[in-house]
Amino acid sequence: DIKMPYRQLWVRNLKLSHAGIYTCEYGSHKVRTTLHIFSLTISLDGHFLQNEVPELILTQNSSSPLPELHITLFDSNNNRVTPEVQNKSRQKYIVSLKKLEAMDSGTWVCQVHADSPLINQNISFAVKVLGFQNPDIERKYAAVDSTVILSWHLNSQKIKWKEGFTGQLKWKQQESANAHELLDFNVTAQGQLHETKKSSSFLFEIPERKPESTIEVKLPKVHFNHSGQYQCQLEYQGRHAQTKIELVVMKVSANPVGPLSRGANMTLTCQVSGLLPPNAYLRWERVNGTKMDIKDSKQHEVKLEVNISAAGLWSCHLIEDSDRKISLHYHVEEAPVWISYVIIGASVGGSLLAFALGCLCIINGISWQQRRRRAKRMAQARQYLLENKTCQCQQ
């Protein structure tokens, strides 16, 4: 297109083949302009799932010898990104970036520089990363019989993703165990999230009110065997992205169960359902007690026992990086005095009864031995008499 009145030439929908020398003639005057064209393409049309690695292809064309380019990349937060150049020629540069995270969505800038001819060109391009705002692995602690809500936050609303995707939420107790499907979900082109609960013996609920683009499950009453990995996975065009929450459940118990009598001992046990990180441990302590009433677990221990002889409120804490993640309390009641007397009396009475039974057994044993010896002597006497009568008859 020719734009008047300055005789401007507009070249629309530039292609690499449009590069070259453009000459403007006016009478005997000639003016030449060199058009240098860059083409920047991004893999997957700029639509990625988290942890995927984008690839940039920068191509240049010019009528003059192609210069050597220096490429600098800036992400959506204007942070400089160090690329990895896979293939480099004067005409084409293939660059691989880092693994993407959900927060990398936005407008990126490719800065192109050359010294001869002097080139300083900024090329902007859009990157959309669909994924979870949660970390790849998240750990959550809960007490037995408490209520827990597990949440996975998608960024589909934030980046205005126009294509639908599907996903599912699975649960398994260990890495090698079989997975149980809890729910399926999909997002429409309008960004609406729909969830379908799968048939399962696992008791959980889907909260009605929650933030947009959020997957949630509610465990109204956590059991010890509800621990394990809750993995949320989404799929887009045959590709997958996933993140999981590791649920660790704690319980406490006592042996024997019941009031603690004076002078007696009790064993308190605190146990968690899964492995703890190296910077986490269990601690038993008596509320308003002394340092002698504190006991810590060793590294990687998932069960801590403490033998106590003092009643009161005992607490088990799960501590990670000096931060108490969860605490469970066990109130040890002191038995009334009359119960102690009854126990003491029962113990003394039992001891006396055992002593009496022992004496009786000894007396019976002695009598039995005496009867046995007497019977033996009588048998010997009868044998002697019989032998003597036999001898008299022979005479």
Side-chain angles (χ1 to χ4, degrees), residues 290-301:
T290 64
K291 292 183 178 180
M292 300 297 294
D293 298 324
I294 297 177
K295 183 179 180 181
D296 294 340
S297 66
K298 298 179 181 179
Q299 192 175 22
H300 301 304
E301 278 188 342

Side-chain angles (χ1 to χ4, degrees), residues 134-275:
N134 306 56
D136 289 340
I137 300 177
E138 184 179 353
R139 185 176 288 102
K140 192 176 184 68
Y141 300 107
V144 168
D145 294 334
S146 66
T147 299
V148 176
I149 295 180
L150 305 177
S151 301
W152 292 264
H153 306 284
L154 293 167
N155 65 338
S156 57
Q157 284 283 344
K158 183 178 179 181
I159 64 176
K160 298 181 180 179
W161 193 277
K162 297 184 181 300
E163 301 290 338
F165 60 88
T166 61
Q168 57 185 198
L169 178 63
K170 300 178 180 179
W171 164 70
K172 56 184 179 179
Q173 283 204 284
Q174 297 177 352
E175 190 70 33
S176 59
N178 295 327
H180 304 274
E181 294 185 9
L182 300 184
L183 60 88
D184 292 336
F185 62 89
N186 65 80
V187 175
T188 64
Q190 292 75 28
Q192 299 295 325
L193 184 63
H194 296 283
E195 299 166 321
T196 304
K197 188 174 180 179
K198 305 288 286 187
S199 59
S200 173
S201 59
F202 189 87
L203 298 178
F204 72 98
E205 302 173 3
I206 301 177
E208 295 181 0
R209 295 183 180 181
K210 52 189 173 183
E212 292 181 336
S213 301
T214 300
I215 308 296
E216 283 188 354
V217 293
K218 179 181 179 181
L219 311 179
K221 194 172 184 180
V222 178
H223 296 169
F224 196 69
N225 58 358
H226 286 170
S227 62
Q229 301 173 3
Y230 292 78
Q231 184 182 83
C232 194
Q233 181 185 80
L234 59 89
E235 178 181 354
Y236 177 72
Q237 294 183 348
R239 292 134 54 200
H240 297 84
Q242 61 191 22
T243 184
K244 65 182 179 182
I245 297 178
E246 184 81 20
L247 180 62
V248 180
V249 182
M250 180 199 288
K251 67 178 181 179
V252 295
S253 60
N255 184 27
V257 179
L260 180 64
S261 58
R262 186 176 301 176
N265 291 328
M266 177 184 291
T267 300
L268 298 179
T269 303
C270 181
Q271 186 175 357
V272 292
S273 58
L275 295 177

Side-chain angles (χ1 to χ4, degrees), residues 5 8 15 53 62 64 106-107 113 141 146 155 212 221 262 288 306 316 357 374 379 392:
Q8 293 176 334
K15 300 178 182 178
V53 178
S62 177
S64 58
T107 301
H113 174 78
Y141 300 107
S146 66
N155 65 338
E212 292 181 336
K221 194 172 184 180
R262 186 176 301 176
N288 298 327
V306 58
C316 180
L357 290 175
R374 187 181 302 113
Q392 292 173 0

Side-chain angles (χ1 to χ4, degrees), residues 37 66 89 145 191 207 214 258 265 280-281 302 368 383 386 393:
I37 295 180
L66 297 174
S89 66
D145 294 334
T214 300
N265 291 328
Y281 61 94
V302 297
W368 180 77
Q383 183 67 25
L386 288 174
C393 291

